[in-house]
Amino acid sequence: MYKSLGWKRLSYRFKIAHFVKTGLIDKALQLFDEMSQSDCRVFSIDYNRIIGVLVKHSQFELAGEYYDKMGPKGFSLNSFTYSRFISGLCKVSNFEVIQRLLEDMDKVGAVPDMWACNLYLNLLCSESLVDVALEVLRVMGEKGREPDVVSYTIVVSGLCRVKRIDDAVRLWHTMIGKGIVPDDKACRALVLGLCDGGKVDLAYELTLGDLKGSVKFSTGIYNVLISGFCQAGRIDKAQAIKTFMRRNGCKPDLVTYNVLLNYCCDELMLDEAEKLIDKMERGGLNPDSYSYNELLKGLCKAHRIDRAYKLMVNKMRVKGLVDVVSYNTIIRALCRSSRTDQAYKILEEMGPNGISPDVVTFSILIKAFLREGRPNLAKKLLDQMRILGLSLDRVMYTIIVDHLCKTGRIGMAHSTFCDMTEQGITPDVVSYNALINGFCRACRVSDAMVLYEEMQTKGVHPDELTFKLVIRGLIQEKKLSIACTVWDQMMEKGFTLDRDVSETLITAISEDAPCSKKNG
């Protein structure tokens, strides 16, 4: 009998394995259930296999159900299956079940493998649960699963992300103290975190300083340090690192030069920027669009717009490196220099040169024309955008509405506001405030009140400015009872009225009171 049951069990296992191999997981589960309900004894290994299959196919809920059935039968998962289960749950951030599995592993003396531990550490750090990650790191060693360089790298990076730089540095020293030599990825994580926290000198000291000769540093680490020193305004140190990396057999790449170009152009060190471009070209490293666009930006910032335009036309266009960013840089500079008509001509040459203007291009010109009091041209650009299938965002619409209101073009402002809603863009409180302000300044408080009511019905809550604009407008039109009602609504929302406005309202009410009595 035992022999026949043994053969029966083997038959079940063979068929289940076949269904799994052919991807028929539901069939495999049906057969497993049939096997477990038959007179054929199911062992721990069978549960480990079926749960492993479910985890592999990301069916974590079902895996949990079968896991729950194991306990009452005196079975448990082995370390491998536990580790795969935890690894899978890390992908879906199921902290509750992960914690339960870890507690169950403790009871049977099992320890997750390094892969599962590191995935769990990464999940914790991605959720900013760095204190829990530090505790997991400590417990790993106590349980005989010493953290490796990846474990430390994950937690160091996590601590840096939440700006706990001192803790990150302490952990770094702990890792080295345990004889773990950081690799390039570990160094990059530390350098990124420290530079982002403004500690570029410390980043340099702990890597290039302390680990010189122990670690072969990648170009990426050098680039992060160069960028960090540039952001700190220390171009001399950045250039020294560039020389240092070359001496250590690491050739500067395009990113290295672009970081330095960005700094030189921002600081108007244009001669140095042009030398960098020449060095790149002589060294066989072709500058890309970003490189030249940085130089364009620098020239425009130095008010050398015509030279920038010649660079774009005579050099960049020949190399096929002109893009919409290049044009936007020139157009923005021309508009800032009140050469808006010339900027508009450059817009017109974009299409024939194979470059399509984007929302930024039109936004720059629309703002410029509005600033110069030429709303008709701004409207023409809006129409042109619509033909091209481009849509302004809420911020740009609001800027236009606000400008039109402040220059007395209330009708056009209202039309633009309506156009925004017709384009499917929902106005926010700033948008409403811009038009409410325009209506109040134009003594059209009734229209302002319509907007005030409309915004609330549409779920846009008035802010402190909304209430102040409406109350001021109502006071000016002597609609004091309505002003008082709005004031009450304002206080209910927890806002307070300016002292000057509240005194004006109180004075107006008191002055109006005798007339009210007399009329009564």
Side-chain angles (χ1 to χ4, degrees), residues 157-184:
S157 183
L159 287 165
C160 287
R161 271 200 304 272
V162 295
K163 309 302 180 187
R164 287 173 56 174
I165 303 298
D166 292 341
D167 290 331
V169 172
R170 272 193 289 273
L171 188 60
W172 182 263
H173 287 308
T174 299
M175 174 181 68
I176 293 173
K178 287 180 177 287
I180 299 174
V181 180
D183 59 11
D184 180 73

PDB file of all heavy atoms in Angstrom, residues 157-184:
ATOM      1  N   SER A 157      23.192  55.273   0.534  1.00  0.00           N
ATOM      2  CA  SER A 157      22.440  56.085  -0.436  1.00  0.00           C
ATOM      3  C   SER A 157      21.114  56.549   0.153  1.00  0.00           C
ATOM      4  O   SER A 157      20.706  57.706  -0.023  1.00  0.00           O
ATOM      5  CB  SER A 157      22.205  55.268  -1.707  1.00  0.00           C
ATOM      6  OG  SER A 157      21.541  56.026  -2.680  1.00  0.00           O
ATOM      7  N   GLY A 158      20.428  55.642   0.873  1.00  0.00           N
ATOM      8  CA  GLY A 158      19.149  55.996   1.497  1.00  0.00           C
ATOM      9  C   GLY A 158      19.309  57.086   2.538  1.00  0.00           C
ATOM     10  O   GLY A 158      18.499  58.016   2.613  1.00  0.00           O
ATOM     11  N   LEU A 159      20.351  57.006   3.344  1.00  0.00           N
ATOM     12  CA  LEU A 159      20.614  58.037   4.366  1.00  0.00           C
ATOM     13  C   LEU A 159      20.920  59.383   3.708  1.00  0.00           C
ATOM     14  O   LEU A 159      20.469  60.435   4.183  1.00  0.00           O
ATOM     15  CB  LEU A 159      21.789  57.599   5.245  1.00  0.00           C
ATOM     16  CG  LEU A 159      21.494  56.466   6.233  1.00  0.00           C
ATOM     17  CD1 LEU A 159      22.787  55.875   6.786  1.00  0.00           C
ATOM     18  CD2 LEU A 159      20.601  56.943   7.382  1.00  0.00           C
ATOM     19  N   CYS A 160      21.660  59.350   2.622  1.00  0.00           N
ATOM     20  CA  CYS A 160      21.972  60.596   1.903  1.00  0.00           C
ATOM     21  C   CYS A 160      20.711  61.230   1.339  1.00  0.00           C
ATOM     22  O   CYS A 160      20.547  62.452   1.373  1.00  0.00           O
ATOM     23  CB  CYS A 160      22.975  60.330   0.785  1.00  0.00           C
ATOM     24  SG  CYS A 160      24.656  60.000   1.359  1.00  0.00           S
ATOM     25  N   ARG A 161      19.804  60.380   0.829  1.00  0.00           N
ATOM     26  CA  ARG A 161      18.570  60.921   0.232  1.00  0.00           C
ATOM     27  C   ARG A 161      17.724  61.676   1.247  1.00  0.00           C
ATOM     28  O   ARG A 161      17.037  62.629   0.894  1.00  0.00           O
ATOM     29  CB  ARG A 161      17.741  59.798  -0.392  1.00  0.00           C
ATOM     30  CG  ARG A 161      18.093  59.507  -1.828  1.00  0.00           C
ATOM     31  CD  ARG A 161      16.973  58.755  -2.547  1.00  0.00           C
ATOM     32  NE  ARG A 161      16.611  57.525  -1.885  1.00  0.00           N
ATOM     33  CZ  ARG A 161      17.188  56.355  -2.100  1.00  0.00           C
ATOM     34  NH1 ARG A 161      18.193  56.263  -2.949  1.00  0.00           N
ATOM     35  NH2 ARG A 161      16.782  55.274  -1.461  1.00  0.00           N
ATOM     36  N   VAL A 162      17.760  61.228   2.510  1.00  0.00           N
ATOM     37  CA  VAL A 162      16.961  61.920   3.533  1.00  0.00           C
ATOM     38  C   VAL A 162      17.825  62.928   4.307  1.00  0.00           C
ATOM     39  O   VAL A 162      17.456  63.363   5.388  1.00  0.00           O
ATOM     40  CB  VAL A 162      16.286  60.915   4.502  1.00  0.00           C
ATOM     41  CG1 VAL A 162      15.276  60.071   3.763  1.00  0.00           C
ATOM     42  CG2 VAL A 162      17.308  60.044   5.226  1.00  0.00           C
ATOM     43  N   LYS A 163      18.981  63.251   3.707  1.00  0.00           N
ATOM     44  CA  LYS A 163      19.869  64.303   4.236  1.00  0.00           C
ATOM     45  C   LYS A 163      20.481  63.960   5.599  1.00  0.00           C
ATOM     46  O   LYS A 163      20.851  64.863   6.347  1.00  0.00           O
ATOM     47  CB  LYS A 163      19.132  65.653   4.330  1.00  0.00           C
ATOM     48  CG  LYS A 163      18.424  66.097   3.067  1.00  0.00           C
ATOM     49  CD  LYS A 163      19.388  66.217   1.898  1.00  0.00           C
ATOM     50  CE  LYS A 163      18.687  66.667   0.615  1.00  0.00           C
ATOM     51  NZ  LYS A 163      19.572  66.633  -0.556  1.00  0.00           N
ATOM     52  N   ARG A 164      20.608  62.685   5.899  1.00  0.00           N
ATOM     53  CA  ARG A 164      21.289  62.279   7.142  1.00  0.00           C
ATOM     54  C   ARG A 164      22.741  61.952   6.798  1.00  0.00           C
ATOM     55  O   ARG A 164      23.190  60.809   6.833  1.00  0.00           O
ATOM     56  CB  ARG A 164      20.550  61.116   7.792  1.00  0.00           C
ATOM     57  CG  ARG A 164      19.238  61.577   8.433  1.00  0.00           C
ATOM     58  CD  ARG A 164      18.377  60.455   8.947  1.00  0.00           C
ATOM     59  NE  ARG A 164      19.053  59.594   9.906  1.00  0.00           N
ATOM     60  CZ  ARG A 164      18.416  58.608  10.563  1.00  0.00           C
ATOM     61  NH1 ARG A 164      17.127  58.410  10.354  1.00  0.00           N
ATOM     62  NH2 ARG A 164      19.070  57.837  11.399  1.00  0.00           N
ATOM     63  N   ILE A 165      23.436  63.008   6.432  1.00  0.00           N
ATOM     64  CA  ILE A 165      24.792  62.873   5.904  1.00  0.00           C
ATOM     65  C   ILE A 165      25.748  62.291   6.945  1.00  0.00           C
ATOM     66  O   ILE A 165      26.561  61.412   6.641  1.00  0.00           O
ATOM     67  CB  ILE A 165      25.313  64.243   5.405  1.00  0.00           C
ATOM     68  CG1 ILE A 165      24.353  64.827   4.349  1.00  0.00           C
ATOM     69  CG2 ILE A 165      26.707  64.107   4.836  1.00  0.00           C
ATOM     70  CD1 ILE A 165      24.194  64.008   3.113  1.00  0.00           C
ATOM     71  N   ASP A 166      25.665  62.784   8.185  1.00  0.00           N
ATOM     72  CA  ASP A 166      26.577  62.305   9.232  1.00  0.00           C
ATOM     73  C   ASP A 166      26.407  60.808   9.467  1.00  0.00           C
ATOM     74  O   ASP A 166      27.393  60.077   9.643  1.00  0.00           O
ATOM     75  CB  ASP A 166      26.342  63.071  10.538  1.00  0.00           C
ATOM     76  CG  ASP A 166      26.758  64.531  10.435  1.00  0.00           C
ATOM     77  OD1 ASP A 166      27.540  64.849   9.510  1.00  0.00           O
ATOM     78  OD2 ASP A 166      26.305  65.352  11.256  1.00  0.00           O
ATOM     79  N   ASP A 167      25.142  60.336   9.461  1.00  0.00           N
ATOM     80  CA  ASP A 167      24.888  58.899   9.634  1.00  0.00           C
ATOM     81  C   ASP A 167      25.443  58.101   8.455  1.00  0.00           C
ATOM     82  O   ASP A 167      25.971  56.995   8.634  1.00  0.00           O
ATOM     83  CB  ASP A 167      23.385  58.634   9.779  1.00  0.00           C
ATOM     84  CG  ASP A 167      22.828  59.136  11.099  1.00  0.00           C
ATOM     85  OD1 ASP A 167      23.598  59.172  12.075  1.00  0.00           O
ATOM     86  OD2 ASP A 167      21.635  59.486  11.161  1.00  0.00           O
ATOM     87  N   ALA A 168      25.308  58.674   7.265  1.00  0.00           N
ATOM     88  CA  ALA A 168      25.822  58.003   6.062  1.00  0.00           C
ATOM     89  C   ALA A 168      27.340  57.851   6.150  1.00  0.00           C
ATOM     90  O   ALA A 168      27.898  56.782   5.822  1.00  0.00           O
ATOM     91  CB  ALA A 168      25.434  58.788   4.813  1.00  0.00           C
ATOM     92  N   VAL A 169      28.019  58.908   6.599  1.00  0.00           N
ATOM     93  CA  VAL A 169      29.479  58.862   6.716  1.00  0.00           C
ATOM     94  C   VAL A 169      29.905  57.861   7.788  1.00  0.00           C
ATOM     95  O   VAL A 169      30.865  57.101   7.609  1.00  0.00           O
ATOM     96  CB  VAL A 169      30.036  60.270   7.019  1.00  0.00           C
ATOM     97  CG1 VAL A 169      31.529  60.217   7.336  1.00  0.00           C
ATOM     98  CG2 VAL A 169      29.791  61.198   5.831  1.00  0.00           C
ATOM     99  N   ARG A 170      29.167  57.835   8.912  1.00  0.00           N
ATOM    100  CA  ARG A 170      29.479  56.867   9.973  1.00  0.00           C
ATOM    101  C   ARG A 170      29.345  55.430   9.452  1.00  0.00           C
ATOM    102  O   ARG A 170      30.180  54.562   9.743  1.00  0.00           O
ATOM    103  CB  ARG A 170      28.560  57.078  11.180  1.00  0.00           C
ATOM    104  CG  ARG A 170      29.092  58.101  12.176  1.00  0.00           C
ATOM    105  CD  ARG A 170      28.325  58.039  13.488  1.00  0.00           C
ATOM    106  NE  ARG A 170      26.981  58.555  13.346  1.00  0.00           N
ATOM    107  CZ  ARG A 170      26.661  59.845  13.477  1.00  0.00           C
ATOM    108  NH1 ARG A 170      27.601  60.734  13.753  1.00  0.00           N
ATOM    109  NH2 ARG A 170      25.420  60.249  13.353  1.00  0.00           N
ATOM    110  N   LEU A 171      28.274  55.184   8.699  1.00  0.00           N
ATOM    111  CA  LEU A 171      28.056  53.844   8.157  1.00  0.00           C
ATOM    112  C   LEU A 171      29.157  53.491   7.159  1.00  0.00           C
ATOM    113  O   LEU A 171      29.603  52.336   7.089  1.00  0.00           O
ATOM    114  CB  LEU A 171      26.679  53.759   7.495  1.00  0.00           C
ATOM    115  CG  LEU A 171      26.218  52.377   7.053  1.00  0.00           C
ATOM    116  CD1 LEU A 171      26.139  51.432   8.253  1.00  0.00           C
ATOM    117  CD2 LEU A 171      24.863  52.451   6.356  1.00  0.00           C
ATOM    118  N   TRP A 172      29.594  54.477   6.381  1.00  0.00           N
ATOM    119  CA  TRP A 172      30.689  54.283   5.417  1.00  0.00           C
ATOM    120  C   TRP A 172      31.960  53.830   6.152  1.00  0.00           C
ATOM    121  O   TRP A 172      32.615  52.878   5.741  1.00  0.00           O
ATOM    122  CB  TRP A 172      30.931  55.584   4.680  1.00  0.00           C
ATOM    123  CG  TRP A 172      31.999  55.537   3.624  1.00  0.00           C
ATOM    124  CD1 TRP A 172      33.303  55.925   3.750  1.00  0.00           C
ATOM    125  CD2 TRP A 172      31.854  55.085   2.276  1.00  0.00           C
ATOM    126  NE1 TRP A 172      33.973  55.745   2.573  1.00  0.00           N
ATOM    127  CE2 TRP A 172      33.110  55.240   1.646  1.00  0.00           C
ATOM    128  CE3 TRP A 172      30.787  54.571   1.538  1.00  0.00           C
ATOM    129  CZ2 TRP A 172      33.333  54.895   0.313  1.00  0.00           C
ATOM    130  CZ3 TRP A 172      31.009  54.233   0.206  1.00  0.00           C
ATOM    131  CH2 TRP A 172      32.263  54.392  -0.386  1.00  0.00           C
ATOM    132  N   HIS A 173      32.265  54.505   7.256  1.00  0.00           N
ATOM    133  CA  HIS A 173      33.451  54.137   8.042  1.00  0.00           C
ATOM    134  C   HIS A 173      33.284  52.746   8.672  1.00  0.00           C
ATOM    135  O   HIS A 173      34.255  51.987   8.760  1.00  0.00           O
ATOM    136  CB  HIS A 173      33.703  55.178   9.134  1.00  0.00           C
ATOM    137  CG  HIS A 173      34.252  56.477   8.608  1.00  0.00           C
ATOM    138  ND1 HIS A 173      35.351  56.540   7.788  1.00  0.00           N
ATOM    139  CD2 HIS A 173      33.845  57.765   8.790  1.00  0.00           C
ATOM    140  CE1 HIS A 173      35.619  57.803   7.489  1.00  0.00           C
ATOM    141  NE2 HIS A 173      34.709  58.575   8.072  1.00  0.00           N
ATOM    142  N   THR A 174      32.045  52.420   9.080  1.00  0.00           N
ATOM    143  CA  THR A 174      31.777  51.080   9.631  1.00  0.00           C
ATOM    144  C   THR A 174      32.057  50.008   8.594  1.00  0.00           C
ATOM    145  O   THR A 174      32.687  48.976   8.896  1.00  0.00           O
ATOM    146  CB  THR A 174      30.303  50.976  10.103  1.00  0.00           C
ATOM    147  OG1 THR A 174      30.068  51.947  11.127  1.00  0.00           O
ATOM    148  CG2 THR A 174      29.989  49.593  10.629  1.00  0.00           C
ATOM    149  N   MET A 175      31.591  50.244   7.375  1.00  0.00           N
ATOM    150  CA  MET A 175      31.808  49.286   6.290  1.00  0.00           C
ATOM    151  C   MET A 175      33.304  49.061   6.062  1.00  0.00           C
ATOM    152  O   MET A 175      33.769  47.906   5.991  1.00  0.00           O
ATOM    153  CB  MET A 175      31.147  49.814   5.008  1.00  0.00           C
ATOM    154  CG  MET A 175      31.423  48.979   3.771  1.00  0.00           C
ATOM    155  SD  MET A 175      30.652  49.624   2.269  1.00  0.00           S
ATOM    156  CE  MET A 175      31.598  51.131   2.029  1.00  0.00           C
ATOM    157  N   ILE A 176      34.058  50.138   5.962  1.00  0.00           N
ATOM    158  CA  ILE A 176      35.496  50.019   5.717  1.00  0.00           C
ATOM    159  C   ILE A 176      36.179  49.359   6.914  1.00  0.00           C
ATOM    160  O   ILE A 176      37.101  48.546   6.757  1.00  0.00           O
ATOM    161  CB  ILE A 176      36.108  51.405   5.416  1.00  0.00           C
ATOM    162  CG1 ILE A 176      35.553  51.926   4.070  1.00  0.00           C
ATOM    163  CG2 ILE A 176      37.622  51.352   5.380  1.00  0.00           C
ATOM    164  CD1 ILE A 176      35.941  53.330   3.726  1.00  0.00           C
ATOM    165  N   GLY A 177      35.697  49.692   8.131  1.00  0.00           N
ATOM    166  CA  GLY A 177      36.249  49.090   9.338  1.00  0.00           C
ATOM    167  C   GLY A 177      36.063  47.592   9.389  1.00  0.00           C
ATOM    168  O   GLY A 177      36.836  46.871  10.036  1.00  0.00           O
ATOM    169  N   LYS A 178      35.038  47.087   8.715  1.00  0.00           N
ATOM    170  CA  LYS A 178      34.785  45.636   8.678  1.00  0.00           C
ATOM    171  C   LYS A 178      35.578  44.956   7.562  1.00  0.00           C
ATOM    172  O   LYS A 178      35.398  43.763   7.295  1.00  0.00           O
ATOM    173  CB  LYS A 178      33.289  45.383   8.483  1.00  0.00           C
ATOM    174  CG  LYS A 178      32.454  45.681   9.719  1.00  0.00           C
ATOM    175  CD  LYS A 178      30.980  45.404   9.452  1.00  0.00           C
ATOM    176  CE  LYS A 178      30.150  45.632  10.708  1.00  0.00           C
ATOM    177  NZ  LYS A 178      30.341  44.583  11.723  1.00  0.00           N
ATOM    178  N   GLY A 179      36.420  45.745   6.896  1.00  0.00           N
ATOM    179  CA  GLY A 179      37.260  45.164   5.849  1.00  0.00           C
ATOM    180  C   GLY A 179      36.590  45.051   4.500  1.00  0.00           C
ATOM    181  O   GLY A 179      37.111  44.378   3.596  1.00  0.00           O
ATOM    182  N   ILE A 180      35.430  45.692   4.338  1.00  0.00           N
ATOM    183  CA  ILE A 180      34.724  45.662   3.043  1.00  0.00           C
ATOM    184  C   ILE A 180      35.225  46.826   2.200  1.00  0.00           C
ATOM    185  O   ILE A 180      35.095  47.997   2.583  1.00  0.00           O
ATOM    186  CB  ILE A 180      33.200  45.765   3.237  1.00  0.00           C
ATOM    187  CG1 ILE A 180      32.694  44.576   4.055  1.00  0.00           C
ATOM    188  CG2 ILE A 180      32.485  45.833   1.892  1.00  0.00           C
ATOM    189  CD1 ILE A 180      31.227  44.662   4.431  1.00  0.00           C
ATOM    190  N   VAL A 181      35.837  46.509   1.074  1.00  0.00           N
ATOM    191  CA  VAL A 181      36.362  47.551   0.176  1.00  0.00           C
ATOM    192  C   VAL A 181      35.234  48.055  -0.712  1.00  0.00           C
ATOM    193  O   VAL A 181      34.600  47.270  -1.420  1.00  0.00           O
ATOM    194  CB  VAL A 181      37.505  47.002  -0.698  1.00  0.00           C
ATOM    195  CG1 VAL A 181      38.035  48.092  -1.623  1.00  0.00           C
ATOM    196  CG2 VAL A 181      38.623  46.461   0.183  1.00  0.00           C
ATOM    197  N   PRO A 182      34.940  49.359  -0.682  1.00  0.00           N
ATOM    198  CA  PRO A 182      33.862  49.903  -1.526  1.00  0.00           C
ATOM    199  C   PRO A 182      34.186  49.693  -3.004  1.00  0.00           C
ATOM    200  O   PRO A 182      35.357  49.771  -3.403  1.00  0.00           O
ATOM    201  CB  PRO A 182      33.858  51.400  -1.180  1.00  0.00           C
ATOM    202  CG  PRO A 182      34.624  51.520   0.097  1.00  0.00           C
ATOM    203  CD  PRO A 182      35.603  50.399   0.118  1.00  0.00           C
ATOM    204  N   ASP A 183      33.174  49.416  -3.783  1.00  0.00           N
ATOM    205  CA  ASP A 183      33.378  49.341  -5.223  1.00  0.00           C
ATOM    206  C   ASP A 183      32.962  50.666  -5.857  1.00  0.00           C
ATOM    207  O   ASP A 183      32.627  51.627  -5.158  1.00  0.00           O
ATOM    208  CB  ASP A 183      32.606  48.165  -5.829  1.00  0.00           C
ATOM    209  CG  ASP A 183      31.091  48.255  -5.577  1.00  0.00           C
ATOM    210  OD1 ASP A 183      30.612  49.310  -5.116  1.00  0.00           O
ATOM    211  OD2 ASP A 183      30.382  47.259  -5.852  1.00  0.00           O
ATOM    212  N   ASP A 184      32.997  50.704  -7.176  1.00  0.00           N
ATOM    213  CA  ASP A 184      32.697  51.951  -7.883  1.00  0.00           C
ATOM    214  C   ASP A 184      31.271  52.426  -7.594  1.00  0.00           C
ATOM    215  O   ASP A 184      31.034  53.620  -7.398  1.00  0.00           O
ATOM    216  CB  ASP A 184      32.877  51.744  -9.389  1.00  0.00           C
ATOM    217  CG  ASP A 184      32.590  53.002 -10.189  1.00  0.00           C
ATOM    218  OD1 ASP A 184      33.407  53.925 -10.144  1.00  0.00           O
ATOM    219  OD2 ASP A 184      31.524  53.055 -10.838  1.00  0.00           O
TER     220      ASP A 184
END
